[in-house]
Amino acid sequence: MKTVLITGANKSIGFEAARQLLQHGYYVYLGSRDLQRGQQAVDQLKAEGLSQVEPIQIDVTDSASIAAARETIGQKTTVLDVLINNAGILGDPSQPALTSSIGMIKEVYETNVFGVIEVTQAFIDLLRQSPAPRIVNVTSGLGSLTLHNDPSWKYYAVKGAAYQPSKAALNAYTIMLAYELRDTPFKVNVVDPGYTATDFNHHSGPGSVADAAARLVKAALLGADGPTSQFFSDDNAPETGISPW
């Protein structure tokens, strides 16, 4: 049975991705910053008959928490097939470039960038044991620098000094990681789940959680001939599904 760790999976898109991967026969380590909330999410899935799942306490901004999660999972399996770095935060609703606090920007980067890097580094040894390892970093269409410079883009005016740059930095890290793993079976990609109605945006997005999670799952299930080092975004590029960086 293939295994997957999903960070920030106790609700919304991460939770739905866990459900869909369970339906695909994966064993899911459901990462949650709060173990009680993680257990509640697991109980819900088990009530649906999806039993191959367990909660893992992991705060991606806490090195000790990441190390403990690695130790816990390492005691249960020697192989991790998929890592989905889903945990993310928005920061302040308003993020003007000239007045946003450095503290707030650092807080966003701690989760959206540094947390992803540290979790990936912590679990890379288990991923290397998989015959077909997949790393899915959850980005945003708002992380495209190319489109942010295009006045005709539908989100052109949606600018922010913390969240958008953090996702652009995540995209850049993913390119570097994919390059480093280019001669291996790894597939390393970023996925924009789309503008989805979740707690993250006060349910203002038009997209469904099910569709958003399906985009993550699609990248997690890529075959040996699938692409690596891609920015998948149906929202930014409806015809091709590949967004400009």
Side-chain angles (χ1 to χ4, degrees):
M1 179 177 291
K2 288 190 173 184
T3 57
V4 55
L5 167 63
I6 310 172
T7 64
N10 59 286
K11 64 178 183 177
S12 298
I13 297 172
F15 178 74
E16 177 60 25
R19 175 188 281 127
Q20 292 183 20
L21 282 166
L22 283 163
Q23 292 168 345
H24 278 282
Y26 278 69
Y27 190 95
V28 174
Y29 296 105
L30 189 148
S32 176
R33 185 172 56 182
D34 183 291
L35 187 58
Q36 182 177 359
R37 291 180 180 177
Q39 185 62 59
Q40 291 170 348
V42 166
D43 291 344
Q44 181 177 338
L45 291 168
K46 289 186 173 181
E48 298 173 13
L50 301 169
S51 61
Q52 301 300 316
V53 55
E54 63 180 284
I56 297 292
Q57 194 280 326
I58 182 167
D59 180 344
V60 304
T61 67
D62 185 328
S63 295
S65 175
I66 294 170
R70 167 61 184 83
E71 182 177 358
T72 297
I73 292 177
Q75 291 171 350
K76 301 171 184 294
T77 183
T78 59
V79 180
L80 185 66
D81 296 286
V82 179
L83 171 62
I84 300 180
N85 286 304
N86 171 69
I89 63 171
L90 177 63
D92 290 348
S94 176
Q95 299 179 3
L98 290 177
T99 57
S100 290
S101 74
I102 294 300
M104 184 273 291
I105 294 173
K106 286 182 176 180
E107 183 180 11
V108 171
Y109 268 70
E110 284 292 342
T111 297
N112 295 359
V113 184
F114 304 134
V116 171
I117 295 171
E118 190 165 2
V119 170
T120 300
Q121 292 179 346
F123 285 93
I124 194 66
D125 60 332
L126 295 183
L127 288 160
R128 287 187 187 276
Q129 300 307 308
S130 171
R134 305 289 178 259
I135 298 175
V136 180
N137 292 333
V138 180
T139 189
S140 166
L142 297 176
S144 171
L145 297 179
T146 299
L147 293 176
H148 269 297
N149 267 321
D150 180 358
S152 69
W153 185 40
K154 61 183 176 180
Y155 300 127
Y156 178 71
V158 185
K159 298 289 193 282
Y163 181 74
Q164 288 87 333
S166 78
K167 291 301 186 179
L170 172 63
N171 291 352
Y173 172 73
T174 304
I175 291 172
M176 307 309 151
L177 180 62
Y179 178 80
E180 191 167 322
L181 296 168
R182 66 194 182 283
D183 295 324
T184 73
F186 275 84
K187 305 294 182 184
V188 184
N189 296 289
V190 292
V191 179
D192 166 25
Y195 189 15
T196 305
T198 66
D199 293 346
F200 196 84
N201 54 37
H202 305 290
H203 295 267
S204 63
S208 73
V209 167
D211 287 344
R215 296 183 177 106
L216 309 189
V217 170
K218 182 179 179 181
L221 299 179
L222 283 174
D225 59 346
T228 192
S229 194
Q230 292 289 348
F231 182 173
F232 295 116
S233 177
D234 292 338
D235 195 3
N236 283 350
E239 294 183 358
T240 64
I242 304 296
S243 173
W245 293 98

